[in-house]
């Protein structure tokens, strides 16, 4: 048997590939894989909004009382977010002409700074949201939001826990359509924030979640709201303070005519409220204050066709005139109350006593009273009193 000459290789001997050809083949495979991924991502990006829209619609239809409708869905893959446009939740029982909730846009997005704390959490941003509460004699036509699985809906709409919320240019309305004049009392230009719902910093302070809001009441008066709460407590545990300053009372005449059967001719309204809850037991107070108030006007009220209306207006105006603090031209009181998760008990005797205190001892100021709330860092500054000139306008 003869031996093959190494210098003359046989037909079955493969020629080894050069390093350059190996690199070329590797880059070509990488390019093919990358192209396939780009094509798949493009196809997925094309159909993803439709899939998300279908899922959002199914999530919003969890309630038997409220029906959801949405506009377009926008996906923001680069920031881990998506947007729901023209969101609307309508009550399907009865004839309620306004939605319970609507928003121009709602964004669900990853909260990227939380990744530094090894937490995957999200943020909700609501653009121009509107919330409508409706009073009506029939429960089917009233609207309180009761019966809707709202927290479950929010959890289902985003795969991660929500850590913060932002509200931009929102509004809250109390409406009634069954009255002689439709009632609409509202907060507008509402900007609010909710921070640290999931304790991403592992803070040991129980009251770690902060809620803040500012708005205009009836497009005119300043409204402030602050709250600190324990989101992990089984029973409500929180400190809350809110204040309304300088509301022109004539803007609420549709409300007081419908529910109080009188009206205001002029004046200003302030309101302060504080609540302190520990393990579901709530203590607090409400402090309503009326300044430069005019309830009865002989010339205007004499035009009433109903004499009972005239005498009721006279009675309310006389009571206010007798019980008000004359040097400060202010009628007001402080109403303490206690509550639990089911009932509220106002202290009526204390309310009457505080009417007399405001009228004949010392006028209340629109400031916070409870030290417990102040200890949480909630401390609205005491404003200068708003005086009224001879024309009834603020000076």
């Amino acid at each position: 048997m003869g031996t093959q000459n190494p210098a003359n290789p046989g037909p079955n001997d493969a020629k080894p590939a050069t390093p350059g050809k190996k690199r070329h083949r590797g880059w070509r495979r990488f390019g093919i894989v990358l192209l396939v991924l780009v094509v798949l991502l493009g196809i997925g990006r094309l159909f993803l909004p439709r899939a998300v829209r279908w899922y959002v619609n199914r999530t919003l239809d969890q309630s038997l009382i409220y029906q959801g409708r949405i506009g377009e869905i926008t996906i923001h893959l680069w920031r881990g977010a998506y947007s729901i446009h023209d969101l609307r939740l309508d009550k399907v029982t009865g004839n309620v002409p306004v939605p319970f909730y609507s928003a121009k846009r709602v964004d669900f997005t990853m909260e990227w700074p939380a990744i530094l704390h090894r937490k995957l959490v999200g943020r909700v941003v609501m653009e121009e949201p509107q919330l409508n509460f409706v009073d009506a004699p029939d429960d089917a036509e009233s609207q309180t939001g009761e019966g809707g699985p709202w927290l479950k809906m929010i959890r289902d709409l985003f795969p991660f826990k929500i850590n913060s919320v932002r509200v931009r240019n929102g509004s809250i309305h109390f409406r009634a359509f069954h009255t002689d004049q439709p009632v609409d009392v509202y907060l507008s230009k509402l900007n609010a924030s909710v921070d640290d719902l999931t304790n991403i910093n592992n803070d040991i302070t129980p009251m770690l979640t902060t809620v803040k809001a500012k708005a205009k009441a009836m497009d005119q008066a300043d409204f402030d709201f602050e709250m600190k709460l324990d989101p992990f407590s089984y029973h409500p545990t929180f400190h809350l303070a809110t204040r309304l300053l300088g509301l022109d009372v004539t803007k609420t005449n549709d409300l007081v005519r419908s529910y109080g059967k009188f009206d205001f001719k002029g004046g200003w309204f302030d309101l302060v409220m504080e609540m302190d809850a520990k393990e579901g037991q709530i203590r607090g107070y409400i402090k309503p204050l009326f300044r430069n108030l005019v309830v009865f006007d002989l010339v205007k009220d004499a035009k009433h066709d109903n004499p009972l209306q005239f005498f009721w207006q006279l009675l309310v105006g006389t009571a206010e005139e007798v019980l008000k603090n004359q040097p400060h031209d202010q009628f007001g009181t402080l109403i303490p109350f206690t509550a639990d998760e089911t009932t509220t008990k106002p202290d009526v005797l204390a309310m009457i006593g505080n009417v007399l205190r405001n009228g004949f001892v010392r006028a209340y100021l629109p400031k916070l009273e409870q030290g417990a709330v102040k200890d949480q860092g909630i401390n609205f500054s005491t404003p200068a009193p708003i005086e009224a000139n001879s024309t009834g306008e603020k000076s």
Side-chain angles (χ1 to χ4, degrees):
M1 179 181 292
T3 59
Q4 186 175 352
N5 187 353
N8 298 310
N12 295 326
D13 293 333
K15 188 176 182 181
T18 63
K21 289 183 178 180
K22 287 182 179 180
R23 284 196 297 269
H24 180 71
R25 263 191 223 126
W27 280 109
R28 185 169 63 183
R29 287 177 188 150
F30 176 76
I32 292 172
V33 172
L34 183 61
L35 180 61
V36 170
L37 287 176
V38 169
V39 171
L40 291 176
L41 285 174
I43 295 173
R45 181 64 179 83
L46 181 64
F47 289 98
L48 188 59
R50 296 182 183 179
V52 173
R53 179 183 171 83
W54 171 84
Y55 177 78
V56 170
N57 275 320
R58 192 185 70 168
T59 302
L60 295 179
D61 284 339
Q62 294 182 36
S63 173
L64 299 176
I65 303 174
Y66 294 89
Q67 183 180 48
R69 289 187 292 167
I70 62 173
E72 297 296 322
I73 295 287
T74 305
I75 306 297
H76 312 278
L77 288 176
W78 60 275
R79 61 185 181 93
Y82 77 96
S83 301
I84 305 172
H85 299 267
D86 302 319
L87 174 60
R88 183 182 175 103
L89 292 168
D90 292 284
K91 191 173 184 181
V92 296
T93 62
N95 181 24
V96 183
V98 291
F100 172 64
Y101 176 84
S102 64
K104 182 178 180 180
R105 190 178 72 189
V106 178
D107 287 346
F108 291 88
T109 181
M110 287 288 297
E111 200 167 82
W112 294 108
I115 294 179
L116 299 177
H117 301 277
R118 294 178 292 180
K119 298 289 181 68
L120 291 175
V121 294
R123 169 178 292 186
V124 180
V125 181
M126 305 178 190
E127 299 283 352
E128 299 182 25
Q130 183 180 105
L131 192 61
N132 290 292
F133 298 100
V134 179
D135 181 42
D138 186 357
D139 288 342
E141 295 186 351
S142 65
Q143 186 167 261
T144 63
E146 186 179 3
W150 310 122
L151 291 178
K152 184 177 185 303
M153 283 186 184
I154 293 175
R155 286 194 295 264
D156 290 345
L157 286 172
F158 201 65
F160 305 107
K161 290 183 178 180
I162 300 299
N163 183 62
S164 61
V165 180
R166 294 291 182 270
V167 175
R168 297 172 181 168
N169 197 25
S171 62
I172 301 175
H173 296 252
F174 171 79
R175 302 178 188 264
F177 299 98
H178 68 282
T179 54
D180 293 336
Q181 292 290 329
V183 173
D184 183 10
V185 179
Y186 59 89
L187 296 174
S188 61
K189 301 178 182 177
L190 173 66
N191 293 286
S193 63
V194 183
D195 289 302
D196 207 3
L197 284 167
T198 61
N199 194 13
I200 61 174
N201 296 313
N202 295 320
D203 200 333
I204 61 173
T205 303
M207 302 289 181
L208 58 96
T209 300
T210 302
V211 184
K212 294 184 178 182
K214 287 184 175 292
K216 289 289 185 181
M218 307 299 286
D219 295 322
Q220 175 255 319
D222 291 328
F223 174 84
D224 293 280
F225 177 95
E226 290 194 25
M227 181 179 185
K228 290 183 178 293
L229 60 94
D230 180 359
F232 305 109
S233 175
Y234 181 76
H235 296 285
T237 302
F238 61 84
H239 297 297
L240 175 155
T242 185
R243 186 178 67 179
L244 172 68
L245 285 181
L247 176 64
D248 181 352
V249 294
T250 62
K251 291 181 176 293
T252 66
N253 271 339
D254 289 338
L255 176 70
V256 295
R257 285 193 194 105
S258 299
Y259 292 90
K261 305 304 179 185
F262 67 95
D263 59 16
F264 296 118
K265 307 304 184 299
W268 310 98
F269 176 64
D270 301 329
L271 178 71
V272 177
M273 182 176 71
E274 295 182 63
M275 296 172 62
D276 183 17
K278 294 180 180 178
E279 297 301 322
Q281 300 301 310
I282 302 172
R283 302 180 65 87
Y285 69 87
I286 301 175
K287 183 165 53 173
L289 306 173
F290 295 89
R291 294 172 288 104
N292 309 114
L293 191 63
V294 180
V295 177
F296 180 76
D297 184 285
L298 180 60
V299 175
K300 294 180 179 179
D301 289 316
K303 298 177 181 179
H304 284 300
D305 296 331
N306 186 349
L308 292 177
Q309 176 69 34
F310 173 83
F311 284 109
W312 174 244
Q313 194 88 23
L314 173 62
L315 179 62
V316 174
T318 302
E320 182 273 329
E321 187 67 26
V322 170
L323 295 173
K324 75 179 181 181
N325 184 292
Q326 298 294 335
H328 293 87
D329 197 3
Q330 174 179 288
F331 174 81
T333 187
L334 186 147
I335 310 169
F337 64 86
T338 58
D340 55 28
E341 298 176 24
T342 58
T343 59
T344 302
K345 299 177 182 179
D347 190 335
V348 178
L349 291 179
M351 176 187 71
I352 296 172
N354 288 328
V355 169
L356 299 176
R357 178 187 183 278
N358 175 83
F360 303 106
V361 180
R362 182 196 291 184
Y364 283 109
L365 293 175
K367 67 176 184 178
L368 303 181
E369 300 283 343
Q370 287 185 354
V373 176
K374 293 179 182 180
D375 292 341
Q376 295 297 320
I378 302 174
N379 190 9
F380 301 126
S381 60
T382 302
I386 300 175
E387 303 294 342
N389 58 30
S390 59
T391 63
E393 296 179 349
K394 286 187 291 185
S395 58

